Amino acid sequence: MSDIIHLLPDSVANQIAAGEVIQRPASVLKELVENSIDAGATFIQIVIKDAGRTLIQVVDNGKGMSETDARMAFERHATSKINTADDLFSIRTMGFRGEALASIAAVAQVELRTRRTEDELGILVEIAGTRVFKQETVQCDSGTSFQVKNLFFNVPARRRFLKSDNVEKSHIFTEFYRIALVNSNVAFTLFDGDEEIFQLPASNIKIRIENIFGKNAKKRWQQQLLTIETSTNLVSLVGYVGKPEYAQKSGSQYFFVNGRYMRHPYFHKAVLLAYNQMIQASESPNYFIFLEVDPQTIDINIHPTKTEIKFENEQAIWSILSSAVKESLGKFNVVPSIDFDQNGSFEMPLGMSVENVRPPQSNFNPNYNPFGTTGYKRPALDWEELYGDFEKKTIHGKSSSTWQSNSELSTIITGEAFVQQQEIEHNESRTENFQYKNRLIFTGIKSGLLMIDQHRAHTRILFDQFINQMENSKGISQQVLFPEELELNDDDALFFEQIIPDLKQIGFEFELSGKNSYSIKGVSALIGSSSVIDLLLGMLDSAKTTALDPTKAMKESISLFLAESASLKAGQRLTNEEMCDLIDRLFACANHNFTPDGKIINTIITQEEIEKRF
Ligand code: ADP
Ligand code: MG
């Protein structure tokens, strides 16, 4: 038999590559506009027709191309932006792979007109399905104009995968915002057919934000945004964060690094942490944060669509970012004066010794004695008094990172220091509850004063519900009006596929909308409508870590992550009715004393202790 291996023709190879790079009209727009930015354009005009299906045109006043370059540009791995492998570690341009134009030309009909200022005549290249149809000199303005027509004209399967015009347009706008925000010194216009959608003059960032998002805002963005700025030898960051009162169900959240948009769920958490207690769990703050780091310390190479970026100094930057945001919120007096979380006392994990935990700052004077009784040393709500004998109640020998299954926990808990369920049920006086610092619920019971951490209580309740839904009855799904797209890389998608059945059980609904991308059609009714994409990405990250540890159960990991994200946060004011409801639901849980990861949910100051004080 003769040999059977052969090289694929360019047209086929390029089409395969296009599968990665060009997923929809928005990808074409992104690639073309990024090329214009790289070419030093100061003015970029964009026209789309039929949500980019029939036409995406990008015209720039950048440096243009020579005749040879105009032809070369469509070759795969043809780029003017890097020369050697070393250059990969100091990338300053948006593009560098030299794949985009080859990919676009493989799956669309492309017309390029380009002229350098120094040339008298420009050049026209027409190419479709990787075949060059025309190449000739023409009269044209200096700069570059690309017309990309009839995307996927030769790949019907891909064409069918495209969504409604509205969805495709929203992808286009998403890409457009990402580029326009970080290039505010470049003027843009965007036309949808004949309709002008955006006309953005070159400006500073704040005005650019206003010009892009201003139309739909309740109040001028100028009033909503606080400046953040910090510079260290690892990172310098500038940008704006929204005042907490302007947090929305789904905020505008943008990170950029070295002039490039990035998605970074981990840094997102750093920002959220700074807002802790200031916004509702169902809301998310707006932010536009621009990081500059030494290009050698990041890897932008990990994903072909390049929105994920790996940082060498991720943890340090995390802290710098979180404190920068906190500082700016504090400077403008929006941070409450008592901030328990600063000291993390409530997050004291099971088994951690009390000595390692600093008591939170509060307005209490530890020597204050309201009654002048000499034997009375501390105010009733002194922290040590509440959690001082914490260690007695921890489960010895168990590290905080070990999962505690419900049954395991129940058997080790002595019960002595904790409230019994019957006591709650038979507690007539429990109709009056008191919420302390919008964080702890105090309620009188027969054996003393019961204190409940509202966030932990709710986490336990939701966790049990998720587990029950995964194992027994399917959870209720909330239909999504405008489905968001979850786009993953190959590894994440593979992993995600494994946990989809569990997520479906608790009410999520997904539809495969392309390679590794899922349209989110429904969300568990137990989850607020906060940013679902970030939630899922965060969950994916935490589930992946769990997957590496065979002692940890995946269902529990997913449930815990979702429960913690969706539960009431400290700082959330509760009505008496809501407190009653929370208490009832907590004590209906088999293990109402500890969170699934072993943190104390409730504790009692016994009647005896109280008596001793008087
Ligand atoms: P990359 O951007 O990764 O280099 P592309 O396939 O997007 O790869 O583009 C190939 C090359 O074509 C670029 O490196 C650049 O030299 C040239 N090019 C593309 N678009 C423009 C433009 N608008 N103006 C000038 N040169 C361009
Ligand atoms: Mg490019």
Side-chain angles (χ1 to χ4, degrees):
M1 222 169 94
S2 60
D3 300 331
I4 50 173
I5 299 179
H6 56 92
L7 284 175
L8 289 173
D10 275 356
S11 56
V12 181
N14 288 344
Q15 218 184 79
I16 294 171
E20 284 284 323
V21 187
I22 305 300
Q23 285 145 355
R24 49 176 21 112
S27 341
V28 175
L29 177 116
K30 169 179 186 286
E31 296 297 338
L32 294 183
V33 179
E34 286 188 350
N35 280 344
S36 298
I37 301 276
D38 285 344
T42 54
F43 179 40
I44 301 173
Q45 291 172 282
I46 303 164
V47 180
I48 57 165
K49 283 199 179 132
D50 303 310
R53 277 172 229 271
T54 53
L55 176 73
I56 300 157
Q57 178 173 25
V58 174
V59 182
D60 69 48
N61 64 352
K63 67 181 177 201
M65 285 177 257
S66 71
E67 181 166 357
T68 318
D69 284 351
R71 178 61 197 83
M72 265 300 277
F74 293 101
E75 293 295 324
R76 197 139 55 98
H77 309 306
T79 179
S80 55
K81 300 170 193 173
I82 57 171
N83 288 309
T84 67
D86 284 347
D87 294 345
L88 275 175
F89 302 103
S90 53
I91 286 167
R92 280 276 167 195
T93 50
M94 306 296 289
F96 59 90
R97 293 163 191 265
E99 284 178 325
L101 291 183
S103 300
I104 295 170
V107 293
Q109 298 155 346
V110 182
E111 193 184 296
L112 160 67
R113 280 163 207 270
T114 184
R115 180 169 75 81
R116 299 181 299 182
T117 34
E118 64 263 37
D119 297 334
E120 210 148 281
L121 283 176
I123 173 97
L124 163 72
V125 179
E126 281 180 26
I127 180 167
T130 309
R131 273 183 57 204
V132 181
F133 286 90
K134 198 183 256 179
Q135 180 169 357
E136 61 188 35
T137 45
V138 286
Q139 297 266 357
C140 64
D141 290 338
S142 73
T144 301
S145 155
F146 273 102
Q147 288 195 359
V148 175
K149 295 177 195 158
N150 303 320
L151 184 62
F152 300 135
F153 79 100
N154 55 349
V155 206
R158 304 289 312 251
R159 211 166 52 227
R160 279 196 296 272
F161 249 128
L162 295 180
K163 304 284 172 199
S164 69
D165 278 7
N166 277 345
V167 173
E168 292 305 334
K169 267 193 221 172
S170 89
H171 282 287
I172 286 178
F173 294 146
T174 302
E175 292 297 351
F176 178 71
Y177 300 155
R178 291 174 181 178
I179 300 172
L181 281 167
V182 72
N183 293 288
S184 65
N185 53 340
V186 176
F188 288 91
T189 57
L190 194 160
F191 280 81
D192 178 4
D194 295 332
E195 189 191 352
E196 180 186 284
I197 308 291
F198 287 106
Q199 210 222 346
L200 309 174
S203 66
N204 64 28
I205 297 168
K206 212 169 188 180
I207 292 176
R208 179 56 55 92
I209 294 171
E210 177 82 51
N211 286 340
I212 293 180
F213 299 111
K215 273 190 241 161
N216 307 323
K218 300 184 266 193
K219 207 157 191 179
R220 286 178 67 79
W221 280 81
Q222 315 269 7
Q223 288 162 273
Q224 300 186 25
L225 297 177
L226 304 171
T227 309
I228 66 165
E229 188 166 7
T230 199
S231 183
T232 71
N233 53 3
L234 289 183
V235 61
S236 71
L237 52 93
V238 295
Y240 298 97
V241 294
K243 291 183 188 162
E245 64 263 36
Y246 294 103
Q248 297 163 353
K249 284 266 148 61
S250 60
S252 298
Q253 299 167 338
Y254 291 88
F255 281 125
F256 301 91
V257 60
N258 295 358
R260 178 189 299 275
Y261 169 83
M262 69 163 176
R263 211 169 47 73
H264 209 294
Y266 183 59
F267 289 167
H268 173 71
K269 281 188 203 146
V271 177
L272 287 192
L273 183 78
Y275 279 89
N276 197 13
Q277 298 196 45
M278 284 184 258
I279 56 176
Q280 306 274 326
S282 59
E283 294 173 337
S284 44
N286 298 307
Y287 61 78
F288 306 86
I289 298 174
F290 301 78
L291 295 88
E292 284 286 330
V293 297
D294 177 351
Q296 308 243 13
T297 64
I298 52 174
D299 179 6
I300 50 183
N301 214 350
I302 56 180
H303 196 270
T305 51
K306 297 176 282 192
T307 57
E308 289 171 3
I309 292 182
K310 211 138 181 50
F311 284 71
E312 205 173 280
N313 304 307
E314 202 162 71
Q315 282 188 358
I317 295 176
W318 193 95
S319 318
I320 296 167
L321 175 62
S322 194
S323 28
V325 177
K326 232 179 203 172
E327 190 193 312
S328 126
L329 295 172
K331 232 191 257 166
F332 292 87
N333 267 336
V334 290
V335 179
S337 56
I338 299 165
D339 181 0
F340 283 97
D341 246 2
Q342 265 170 10
N343 303 289
S345 307
F346 271 93
E347 297 312 317
M348 181 158 54
L350 190 67
M352 190 193 244
S353 87
V354 177
E355 288 87 275
N356 297 336
V357 181
R358 281 184 295 144
Q361 293 164 352
S362 79
N363 285 340
F364 287 128
N365 169 1
N367 301 315
Y368 171 65
N369 176 354
F371 309 109
T373 324
T374 44
Y376 181 72
K377 291 192 201 71
R378 286 181 294 227
L381 297 176
D382 185 283
W383 219 248
E384 266 176 52
E385 196 67 30
L386 300 188
Y387 282 95
D389 56 349
F390 186 91
E391 266 204 307
K392 276 190 250 150
K393 297 169 204 161
T394 59
I395 297 151
H396 293 285
K398 288 265 168 192
S399 88
S400 58
S401 59
T402 314
W403 290 99
Q404 312 289 350
S405 78
N406 276 347
S407 54
E408 202 183 352
L409 264 178
S410 320
T411 48
I412 0 189
I413 291 163
T414 59
E416 160 189 63
F418 294 100
V419 67
Q420 301 298 317
Q421 187 168 359
Q422 307 85 288
E423 208 177 344
I424 288 291
E425 280 165 3
H426 302 132
N427 169 29
E428 265 94 67
S429 66
R430 197 180 52 75
T431 45
E432 284 293 317
N433 307 294
F434 169 68
Q435 194 186 15
Y436 177 70
K437 307 274 188 208
N438 291 350
R439 166 157 227 175
L440 295 180
I441 299 171
F442 280 47
T443 191
I445 54 172
K446 207 168 76 203
S447 60
L449 180 61
L450 172 65
M451 293 170 286
I452 298 167
D453 178 315
Q454 66 189 47
H455 168 65
R456 292 181 183 181
H458 198 207
T459 301
R460 162 56 74 190
I461 294 166
L462 290 177
F463 175 86
D464 282 14
Q465 279 180 290
F466 285 132
I467 292 286
N468 183 37
Q469 290 173 352
M470 283 183 196
E471 287 172 353
N472 306 308
S473 56
K474 198 168 181 310
I476 296 171
S477 178
Q478 225 170 9
Q479 295 303 302
V480 175
L481 217 51
F482 302 104
E484 284 187 272
E485 295 284 313
L486 178 69
E487 285 167 17
L488 301 173
N489 60 27
D490 287 348
D491 285 352
D492 282 358
L494 209 64
F495 188 76
F496 189 65
E497 286 289 333
Q498 295 171 36
I499 57 175
I500 281 183
D502 282 334
L503 293 175
K504 285 194 168 158
Q505 267 298 112
I506 61 176
F508 281 93
E509 286 171 22
F510 306 100
E511 205 170 81
L512 198 63
S513 57
K515 184 168 181 283
N516 298 345
S517 71
Y518 304 82
S519 176
I520 302 166
K521 301 271 165 150
V523 177
S524 156
L526 295 178
I527 301 219
S529 48
S530 59
S531 172
V532 183
I533 298 284
D534 284 328
L535 182 76
L536 288 173
L537 291 171
M539 187 215 60
L540 208 57
D541 275 354
S542 98
K544 273 193 303 192
T545 332
T546 308
L548 298 175
D549 183 344
T551 61
K552 292 185 178 179
M554 188 57 66
K555 282 186 178 29
E556 293 191 7
S557 160
I558 297 173
S559 301
L560 179 60
F561 184 89
L562 294 178
E564 285 208 312
S565 313
S567 59
L568 284 168
K569 298 288 174 291
Q572 220 154 315
R573 182 114 202 97
L574 299 177
T575 63
N576 194 48
E577 235 163 65
E578 286 166 335
M579 288 190 262
C580 287
D581 180 54
L582 191 77
I583 297 170
D584 287 341
R585 292 200 290 151
L586 172 66
F587 286 93
C589 295
N591 182 348
H592 42 256
N593 294 327
F594 287 102
T595 60
D597 52 344
K599 294 172 194 154
I600 287 182
I601 297 174
N602 70 72
T603 186
I604 306 176
I605 305 184
T606 60
Q607 193 57 37
E608 211 180 22
E609 280 174 80
I610 295 173
E611 293 304 337
K612 264 197 246 158
R613 290 164 190 267
F614 294 98

